Amino acid sequence: MNLGEVLGSARAAARLSIEDLSALTSIRSRLLIEIESNNFSHCGGDIYARGHLRNIAPKIGLDANKLIRLYDTEHSIES
């Protein structure tokens, strides 16, 4: 399961819609949809993507540090 799938599954388990999560995090719905599709290209770079994950994690019951490690493994372009 990739990071986007983990996020989508946890959001569904938390019984939150994309719109609910958007309201809780102030992250645009369209960007949340892309993130759950494992597309982080519109996040604004690694720092912003990690910030979004830190923002999202507590709302859906996940550990932000684990999500960030998974992000770094799958997506980070920093060396």
Side-chain angles (χ1 to χ4, degrees):
M1 190 179 288
N2 65 41
L3 177 54
E5 293 168 336
V6 168
L7 294 167
S9 293
R11 180 186 53 77
R15 298 180 181 234
L16 294 172
S17 68
I18 287 287
E19 293 76 20
D20 294 335
L21 188 57
S22 177
L24 290 170
T25 61
S26 298
I27 299 171
R28 294 178 327 234
S29 295
R30 182 68 199 134
L31 184 56
L32 290 170
I33 291 168
E34 288 182 3
I35 288 171
E36 287 189 8
S37 297
N38 214 38
N39 176 2
F40 289 81
S41 63
H42 293 109
C43 284
D46 287 343
I47 291 172
Y48 289 101
R50 289 185 194 108
H52 292 321
L53 293 172
R54 281 187 193 94
N55 189 357
I56 293 167
K59 310 303 191 280
I60 59 174
L62 295 178
D63 181 293
N65 292 322
K66 289 181 183 178
L67 294 179
I68 291 167
R69 282 193 297 274
L70 186 54
Y71 172 82
D72 288 344
T73 299
E74 291 183 7
H75 299 283
S76 181
I77 58 171
E78 294 177 356
S79 16

